[in-house]
Amino acid sequence: MTEPAPAASADPRRTEGLHPLHPHLDALSTLELAQTFASDQLDAVQAVRRAAPQLARAADAALPRLARGGRLLYAGAGTSGRLGVLDASELPPTFSWPPERALAVIAGGERAIRQATEGAEDDEAAGRQAIAGLQPAPDDVLIAVAASGTTPWVLGAVAAARAAGALTVGLANNPLTPLLTATDCPVLLDTGPELISGSTRLKAGTAQKIALNTLSSTLMVRLGKVYGNLMVDLRAGNAKLEARALRLVMHATGAAEGVARAALSEAGGQVKVAVVSLRLGVGVPEAQRRLEAAGGHARAALGEGEWGL
């Protein structure tokens, strides 16, 4: 008599579990699939909302380091790594954050951004080397992302950053995993099982994207890159951004289009400088001096209050 095959051992990671609500996912209609996948993403939003205190703690720990000139470093594999690359890439055009201060590494190297290199994530030594190659320093902040929380390459990156004295932030979608215990500021994004079992590009990836947006945007606001809710550290580099910069200056100052355009031109396209110049009725050099004295915070430069780190 044939012996039954031994049962596979259960994986304790929730992201690897079987979703209990849709065992017949493949039998749903196209509309039902679209509705089901979209609704499941709500779990990602809730996971980040629960993690808000952890994200705030990470931001508060990172702020003084970044204010002293530290860099944001990102490390991840697969989807997590690509999301880190995306976040790092968007900070310079959005907030005029220096590109050399937002660096991302991904398991498998640049090729892995567009082509899956699944085996690369198992190489812990390569993760160490990738971060060591960036020459991390104590004022740097590493944001390490791994849905499983167990990825060897990411854990190697964390080890190298910690050895250099850098602050480490870990984003993982499973509780009690090595990434959360190895980092200074652990952030749990508990999204549970995926609709397609183990496909963490779904709501686990969505939660990571929201968390990265939340963390980096919080940092940029606290660093003075925003006035009110206006993106005043924007530097116009194309027609769309030039039009956006003009609208921002007009909104922040109440100036007519021609006046705002002239101020923006004199300020070299720097929205924040143009706003301070127009609001205070001073020239661009004086506006720049006041912003520098205020640590780059437009509100403080305008005498509307200070925002310390």
Side-chain angles (χ1 to χ4, degrees), residues 150-198:
T150 60
T151 307
W153 189 95
V154 177
L155 294 174
V158 169
R162 294 200 73 176
L167 179 75
T168 54
V169 180
L171 274 58
N173 297 85
N174 287 293
L176 305 175
T177 45
L179 180 59
L180 296 180
T181 58
T183 47
D184 302 302
C185 299
V187 179
L188 171 61
L189 306 170
D190 191 356
T191 45
E194 298 286 1
L195 280 177
I196 298 176
S197 179

Side-chain angles (χ1 to χ4, degrees), residues 55-112:
L55 290 165
R57 176 176 175 269
D60 282 336
L63 278 166
R65 292 168 168 83
L66 298 178
R68 291 192 295 264
R71 300 173 297 173
L72 282 168
L73 310 178
Y74 297 77
T79 298
S80 302
R82 295 180 193 104
L83 289 170
V85 170
L86 179 61
D87 202 64
S89 300
E90 291 181 339
L91 293 181
T94 307
F95 299 108
S96 293
W97 187 253
E100 67 274 12
R101 293 179 62 195
L103 303 175
V105 290
I106 182 172
E110 293 291 315
R111 183 170 68 94

Side-chain angles (χ1 to χ4, degrees), residues 264-283:
L264 195 56
S265 175
E266 188 179 352
Q270 298 180 66
V271 173
K272 185 160 54 177
V273 175
V275 168
V276 173
S277 175
L278 287 174
R279 287 282 298 271
L280 296 181
V282 300

